[in-house]
Each structure stands twice: as C-alpha cells, then as structure tokens.
Amino acid sequence: ELIPSLTSVAYPIDQMAHAAVAQICRRIEGNTARTVTCFLDPVLIPRESTVHCGKSALQNLRVCNLS
C-alpha cells in the first residue's frame, strides 16, 4: 500500500518568535496593551496528496514546493 506525502502548511516560525519576543520586550518596558494582533503569511506546500489543479487555482495562494 502506497501512502502519498501530505500537503501541508508551513508557518513562519522565525517571524512568530520575533513577534513574541517584541511583545515581551514591550511588556517589560511598561506597555500593558492587552491585545496585539499580528498577521503572518503561511506557505502552502503541495505534495503528492494534492490533486493537480493547475496554476489558475493556486494563483491566489503563496505556494512553495519543498518536496
């Protein structure tokens, strides 16, 4: 039985860590803002489990093939 590799989403871990450290530094400096919203772009990594749907279907997504 063959199992295809699964399509996944890569999250920008470095950017997430940077944002978290920046928030901690702001708190240490006395900024007590309760909510900080940070929008980071995940990357779709299509693999064998994705049905080939052509370029037009993926044009609005940020796609990276790391296979």
Side-chain angles (χ1 to χ4, degrees):
E1 175 180 334
L2 296 176
I3 300 173
S5 58
L6 297 177
T7 293
S8 61
V9 176
Y11 293 96
I13 302 298
D14 291 342
Q15 291 176 5
M16 293 167 66
H18 178 75
V21 170
Q23 177 63 18
I24 291 169
C25 290
R26 284 191 291 273
R27 292 279 175 109
I28 290 171
E29 293 171 353
N31 184 344
T32 58
R34 290 186 176 188
T35 303
V36 173
T37 303
C38 185
F39 294 95
L40 303 174
D41 293 324
V43 177
L44 178 66
I45 304 171
R47 295 201 175 103
E48 295 169 351
S49 62
T50 301
V51 176
H52 182 33
C53 56
K55 244 183 182 176
S56 62
L58 297 175
Q59 70 186 15
N60 293 328
L61 299 175
R62 197 169 149 214
V63 178
C64 178
N65 189 352
L66 299 177
S67 53

